[in-house]
Amino acid sequence: MSTPLLSIRDLAVEFPNSQGTVRAVDNVNLDLWEGETLAIVGESGSGKSTTAHAIINLLPGAGKIAGGSIVFDGKELVGASESELEAVRGSQIGFVPQDPMSNLNPVWSIGFQVEEAIAANNPGLDKKAVRAEAIAVLQKAGLADADKRMKQYPHQFSGGMRQRVLIGIGLSANPKLLIADEPTSALDVTVQRTILDHLATLTKASKTSVILITHDLGLAAERAEKIVVMYRGKVVEAGPSLEVLKNPKHPYTQKLVAARKAAPRKEHMGTDVAVSISNISKVYQIKGSGFKSTPFTAVDNVSLEIKRGTTLALVGESGSGKSTVAKMLLGLEKPTSGEIKVDGKNIAGMNSRELFDLRRHMQPVFQDPYGSLDPLQNIANTIAEPLVTHKVGTRKEREARVRELLDQVSLPWAISSRYPSELSGGQRQRVAIARALALNPELVVLDEAVSALDVLVQAQVLELLARLQDELKLTYLFITHDLSVVKIIADRVAVMNKGQIVEFGSTKDIFSKPQQEYTRNLLDAIPGAKLL
Amino acid sequence: MTGYIIRRVLQALPVFFGTTLLIYFMVFAMPGDPIVALFGDKGVNPAIADQLRAQYHLDQPFIVQYLIYIGGIFQGDFGTSFSGQPVGQILASTFPVTLRLALIAVVIEMIVGVAIGLVAGLRKGKWFDNSSLVVSLILISTPVFVIAFVSQFFFAIKLDWARATVSGEANFPELILPGMVLATLGVAYIIRLTRSSVIETASQDFVRTAYSKGLSKSRVTRVHILRNSMIPVVTYVSIDFGILLVGATVTEGIFNVPGVGRTLYQAIIRGEGPTVVSFVTVMVLLYLAVNLLTDLLYAALDPRIRYDK
């Protein structure tokens, strides 16, 4: 083999905007050899996905390749006709997209969407053969009962199942190259690991080359032989994975590696109890056919204590009931049984007036800063809203308080007249934190508050949260599925699975000597955990 | 699915009684005495007036009149109009005409609107898209009677392609011209709806995934873009079909179509309780049926919508 399978030279991609064009990818060079796995790492907006989409010329909107060359298997793809590209897509280059929720057409059955891919790349096959092949593809991708599930629709599949379907489609024609664009970032860590393992087995067996796109340096190092780091549209570092991880040269890569090695925090043990939850359960009635309904226990006999001034992390996969616990604590859902005491007062017995007053003392910050800020309110009004609702201070005093809060979350005052759409994800989450702090609460419930953020932004927000906790003596309930964050922020950890708390202990104990199989699985599934 | 349909039909019962009672009351409360009006300029003959009142049960209290009327409907008797013609007969002669007219209009709307909207959506920002937006805006802002008179003048009188007015038969070929006129507004709205829906669907992730499988552009358009874009269009078309079934008074008047709109208008002017209420009742039933059909169509287009669960 003297020439690489894929060779990209001086690639540039541009998107038009109102002021002309924006260069999203500039001067990108990379080589990929047969059977090799290469990871492209970068934060959102770094151009890593755009590079991948440029290879098969499926750039979104009006984006176009402005220069350079992409040679795949001896053919130049830049400037190739639509029909030449159709011949390459699917059969030569497979593609596994990022979000399993939005990448299958909701109105066609799973079977139809797999058969369609097979029929397009094997023109000679008759209907029966296509169906048999589709079942085989799905079984290989890890859907054991594929022949029974062919007629089902995407909404009847879980996220992990859908991702398996998409991997099956990507590999259905035995392509020479598979482009996997963040194939598992929308999934739980344990599911993520099984799927990546499976993908690795399949591609190794068929000697398929893989381009793996990810924001997670640990995952990249664990899965790929070579890493290319992209930052602001340019390749800033490239080399063998372990080399990049151990001796990062570019300042950006150094920061990424440092963020992974963040020191565990000094423990706050606390003395008096701020929140005590005893034996709460939540049972939902799931409507069945006709008038029947079946009970579903989301939270099963959970007891917790949070000491004042400390952080308790509640960890679990989606569906484990962790957010339901938070909702009950905030008084947004009523527990079916059990009691919740905040500062020694039982929430259940409170009338609406008392509950309203209680909310001054506990405030939430949610996962999605796009969804939790009103797009029609500017930042100053957003932060001042809790003050207005609770009739705190005069207009002048409220403005002074907003100023102070923006200062506390390290945002400039100039931002106060802007709207959420004009801010970055990290800035939005800071605004959400400032809003939560407006009423000087004692308890802040952080429901996946940093999960949607890029690694470096995540580190900054975590640092901010830790500083605010010390300054304002805050108590945190920190809900997350991501154990790597827990180490940095939490004093104690409760692991939830299927509505129950399976393990509880100090952060140090949970990480150094986990008692339960389930906790060990979660810890093992942290990408690149063993590499650092 | 059958369970769902039965439930929907049962839900239609209170709607049926509610609307008929309401309409009956409104007609009852209309000012003026319809029997006196029948005598026109001639003096009222009290004996004949009393006899007529008894014949039409107008001497009974309101609720008794209503119950007599409803009782009649369940025996297939919709009452008698003041001209002596059974209302059932009037219904049977006018509703098929309007149904034909509405069908023609809806078919034209679907074919022309969706085709132009699809091409415009796929070529967003190009000249075809821009001109289709301008044309649809012109169609939306022109009153229907202007379109009706202009097309009557050109197609019927100048070019002699169609008859200017419709005969008593009102068969399909005769109704094509009024159907086209009726469809213009719908075509304009459907172009815009289809266009924006196609643009939205075309930017969805699953469309990119479909291309990445190696599918051709025409297959992605037909299979993945068009079907997903049809849901808002189906909503509009079914509401529009319901409105058209209720009769297009202006268009029917201009082309002399013996349909529901014209007949109902005259019955309201004359204060003919049984005729008005019967027409409205049939309209309500048709509207409920169209609604049910729409919901079933939704489920066929989008498998995420399932009613029996």
Side-chain angles (χ1 to χ4, degrees):
Chain A
M1 242 352 244
S2 55
T3 49
L5 176 69
L6 177 78
S7 163
I8 298 179
R9 288 287 168 273
D10 305 323
L11 180 71
V13 178
E14 288 181 345
F15 287 89
N17 69 359
S18 50
Q19 284 106 40
T21 55
V22 174
R23 206 157 254 231
V25 167
D26 194 17
N27 199 18
V28 165
N29 294 289
L30 59 87
D31 285 316
L32 178 70
W33 301 81
E34 200 182 287
E36 195 176 46
T37 298
L38 172 117
I40 304 181
V41 183
E43 60 192 13
S44 35
S46 63
K48 57 188 194 305
S49 288
T50 308
T51 306
H53 294 155
I55 298 172
I56 45 176
N57 199 9
L58 287 177
L59 293 166
K64 65 175 198 291
I65 297 175
S69 99
I70 300 169
V71 177
F72 171 76
D73 205 13
K75 279 190 298 276
E76 174 62 58
L77 296 185
V78 175
S81 74
E82 194 57 28
S83 61
E84 284 171 310
L85 283 166
E86 272 163 28
V88 172
R89 284 182 204 140
S91 60
Q92 308 280 315
I93 304 180
F95 180 73
V96 178
Q98 173 167 14
D99 180 2
M101 297 302 160
S102 64
N103 275 292
L104 288 167
N105 190 333
V107 309
W108 293 107
S109 69
I110 295 291
F112 178 90
Q113 297 189 54
V114 182
E115 283 171 357
E116 178 182 60
I118 290 161
N121 297 313
N122 302 281
L125 245 46
D126 68 13
K127 259 193 171 161
K128 259 196 187 149
V130 168
R131 191 183 138 80
E133 182 63 27
I135 293 173
V137 160
L138 286 176
Q139 278 170 344
K140 235 180 8 180
L143 285 172
D145 49 352
D147 53 336
K148 277 182 225 138
R149 307 200 67 170
M150 290 281 279
K151 279 212 176 94
Q152 288 188 314
Y153 289 92
H155 68 276
Q156 292 161 312
F157 278 55
S158 69
M161 292 291 207
R162 288 189 222 191
Q163 197 62 56
R164 285 172 194 275
V165 173
L166 287 164
I167 288 172
I169 290 174
L171 288 170
S172 64
N174 296 315
K176 289 181 184 150
L177 167 64
L178 185 77
I179 300 173
D181 184 3
E182 305 249 16
T184 56
S185 41
L187 305 173
D188 278 327
V189 270
T190 49
V191 184
Q192 187 173 14
R193 191 177 52 160
T194 2
I195 289 205
L196 286 173
D197 283 347
H198 200 78
L199 187 64
T201 323
L202 290 179
T203 50
K204 221 151 246 141
S206 56
K207 288 212 170 130
T208 309
S209 306
V210 178
I211 294 183
L212 178 69
I213 302 202
T214 176
H215 63 276
D216 188 334
L217 190 62
L219 189 143
E222 195 175 75
R223 300 287 168 180
E225 288 116 42
K226 279 200 296 193
I227 289 182
V228 169
V229 181
M230 284 187 78
Y231 182 63
R232 296 198 176 161
K234 293 199 163 107
V235 172
V236 293
E237 187 149 359
S241 302
L242 284 175
E243 187 63 24
V244 171
L245 204 62
K246 296 228 164 85
N247 294 310
K249 293 198 180 64
H250 192 272
Y252 174 70
T253 323
Q254 285 166 356
K255 270 198 231 163
L256 276 183
V257 173
R260 291 189 49 78
K261 286 183 181 154
R265 75 189 235 132
K266 272 204 316 271
E267 269 179 53
H268 299 47
M269 287 333 285
T271 45
D272 57 332
V273 177
V275 175
S276 113
I277 295 173
S278 32
N279 307 94
I280 54 162
S281 295
K282 179 75 193 177
V283 180
Y284 290 104
Q285 295 296 327
I286 307 287
K287 251 193 106 183
S289 59
F291 297 100
K292 276 178 281 176
S293 57
T294 37
F296 169 72
T297 310
V299 173
D300 189 4
N301 200 18
V302 162
S303 300
L304 283 174
E305 241 181 33
I306 313 178
K307 298 257 169 68
R308 199 177 307 283
T310 70
T311 303
L312 172 72
L314 194 53
V315 182
E317 297 182 284
S318 30
S320 61
K322 55 192 195 305
S323 285
T324 312
V325 170
K327 280 187 202 153
M328 289 191 283
L329 172 59
L330 289 166
L332 301 173
E333 291 267 6
K334 278 207 164 72
T336 314
S337 63
E339 63 174 25
I340 298 173
K341 281 185 180 163
V342 177
D343 288 333
K345 279 173 283 186
N346 191 347
I347 313 189
M350 288 186 179
N351 58 30
S352 57
R353 180 77 234 169
E354 287 168 317
L355 209 55
F356 182 76
D357 287 337
L358 178 73
R359 295 220 165 100
R360 284 185 70 155
H361 303 289
M362 34 185 216
Q363 289 284 309
V365 177
F366 294 107
Q367 171 170 14
D368 180 9
Y370 292 78
S372 59
L373 300 180
D374 183 346
L376 301 180
Q377 297 279 337
N378 71 25
I379 300 307
N381 287 339
T382 299
I383 297 176
E385 196 183 16
L387 299 171
V388 177
T389 310
H390 287 266
K391 302 196 177 68
V392 178
T394 61
R395 182 177 283 269
K396 268 241 168 79
E397 285 165 4
R398 286 201 287 264
E399 196 191 299
R401 178 78 181 127
V402 170
R403 227 174 243 278
E404 187 187 4
L405 285 163
L406 281 173
D407 201 43
Q408 281 178 341
V409 297
S410 312
L411 286 174
W413 168 245
I415 222 169
S416 63
S417 58
R418 293 215 242 155
Y419 287 84
S421 61
E422 298 168 281
L423 305 185
S424 71
Q427 286 176 321
R428 285 198 193 106
Q429 204 57 295
R430 282 167 196 266
V431 171
I433 293 170
R435 175 175 61 182
L437 295 178
L439 291 163
N440 281 319
E442 283 140 31
L443 173 69
V444 180
V445 176
L446 301 148
D447 191 353
E448 301 274 9
V450 297
S451 306
L453 305 174
D454 278 320
V455 188
L456 291 184
V457 184
Q458 199 173 57
Q460 288 163 5
V461 173
L462 287 172
E463 206 176 296
L464 169 73
L465 287 170
R467 181 167 59 79
L468 290 172
Q469 182 167 45
D470 287 341
E471 280 173 20
L472 306 170
K473 303 274 168 285
L474 297 169
T475 308
Y476 290 151
L477 174 62
F478 191 91
I479 293 168
T480 183
H481 67 277
D482 185 357
L483 270 166
S484 55
V485 179
V486 168
K487 211 173 183 172
I488 307 170
I489 186 89
D491 302 305
R492 292 189 184 79
V493 182
V495 181
M496 268 190 98
N497 183 26
K498 293 178 184 155
Q500 290 176 327
I501 293 202
V502 293
E503 189 158 2
F504 179 82
S506 73
T507 308
K508 222 200 307 175
D509 289 348
I510 295 276
F511 274 81
S512 58
K513 36 181 197 271
Q515 300 299 312
Q516 297 293 321
E517 183 70 35
Y518 183 74
T519 316
R520 272 197 290 277
N521 276 341
L522 278 181
L523 285 168
D524 285 347
I526 302 175
K530 293 186 199 83
L531 292 171
L532 285 172
Chain B
M1 198 58 92
T2 38
Y4 173 73
I5 296 172
I6 291 170
R7 217 164 46 237
R8 284 289 296 263
V9 171
L10 287 178
Q11 279 169 4
L13 281 178
V15 178
F16 169 79
F17 284 109
T19 42
T20 47
L21 184 66
L22 203 67
I23 297 294
Y24 209 90
F25 176 74
M26 282 158 78
V27 174
F28 181 84
M30 272 200 321
D33 183 339
I35 299 297
V36 173
L38 277 180
F39 286 95
D41 291 338
K42 287 184 278 179
V44 177
N45 182 331
I48 296 175
D50 283 347
Q51 197 202 329
L52 280 172
R53 282 209 177 87
Q55 189 188 332
Y56 292 106
H57 309 292
L58 294 179
D59 50 353
Q60 309 276 357
F62 164 70
I63 197 71
V64 176
Q65 286 188 37
Y66 174 72
L67 289 176
I68 290 171
Y69 170 72
I70 288 291
I73 285 185
F74 282 106
Q75 292 157 29
D77 175 16
F78 285 89
T80 319
S81 80
F82 288 151
S83 60
Q85 205 182 358
V87 176
Q89 253 178 42
I90 306 177
L91 288 173
S93 71
T94 54
F95 265 100
V97 174
T98 295
L99 185 67
R100 280 200 287 274
L101 189 62
L103 269 177
I104 290 171
V106 161
V107 168
I108 294 173
E109 279 177 12
M110 280 300 275
I111 295 172
V112 179
V114 169
I116 296 179
L118 177 65
V119 177
L122 292 175
R123 304 198 180 154
K124 186 186 158 196
K126 306 265 170 63
W127 74 266
F128 184 91
D129 178 33
N130 290 331
S131 34
S132 78
L133 283 179
V134 172
V135 169
S136 65
L137 192 63
I138 292 171
L139 290 180
I140 289 170
S141 45
T142 314
V144 67
F145 64 85
V146 174
I147 296 173
F149 280 127
V150 168
S151 56
Q152 197 177 35
F153 180 73
F154 275 104
F155 295 119
I157 293 163
K158 283 279 166 189
L159 296 167
D160 200 25
W161 288 353
R163 294 177 49 152
T165 54
V166 171
S167 74
E169 257 181 72
N171 53 24
F172 271 110
E174 285 179 342
L175 289 173
I176 288 177
L177 185 59
M180 276 169 56
V181 170
L182 263 186
T184 46
L185 190 65
V187 165
Y189 277 122
I190 290 175
I191 288 176
R192 290 176 160 244
L193 262 178
T194 310
R195 175 188 176 271
S196 57
S197 186
V198 163
I199 289 172
E200 202 197 310
T201 312
S203 68
Q204 297 279 322
D205 286 345
F206 61 77
V207 171
R208 188 189 54 212
T209 305
Y211 280 118
S212 81
K213 294 180 196 171
L215 303 181
S216 69
K217 196 163 188 161
S218 91
R219 178 164 173 106
V220 174
T221 307
R222 275 179 292 122
V223 175
H224 291 280
I225 297 180
L226 195 55
R227 179 168 167 186
N228 295 61
S229 307
M230 278 301 98
I231 294 167
V233 177
V234 165
T235 319
Y236 175 80
V237 168
S238 53
I239 293 171
D240 198 41
F241 187 58
I243 292 171
L244 290 173
L245 279 182
V246 171
T249 314
V250 174
T251 311
E252 285 185 1
I254 292 171
F255 289 97
N256 198 33
V257 179
V260 172
R262 238 183 45 176
T263 317
L264 180 61
Y265 175 69
Q266 283 162 3
I268 293 170
I269 298 284
R270 290 201 213 115
E272 291 189 31
T275 316
V276 175
V277 180
S278 300
F279 267 85
V280 174
T281 308
V282 176
M283 285 171 184
V284 168
L285 290 177
L286 278 172
Y287 214 90
L288 289 172
V290 169
N291 257 325
L292 176 59
L293 213 69
T294 313
D295 287 344
L296 296 180
L297 246 167
Y298 274 163
L301 276 175
D302 190 342
R304 284 169 295 183
I305 301 168
R306 283 284 177 262
Y307 299 114
D308 278 338
K309 255 192 223 154

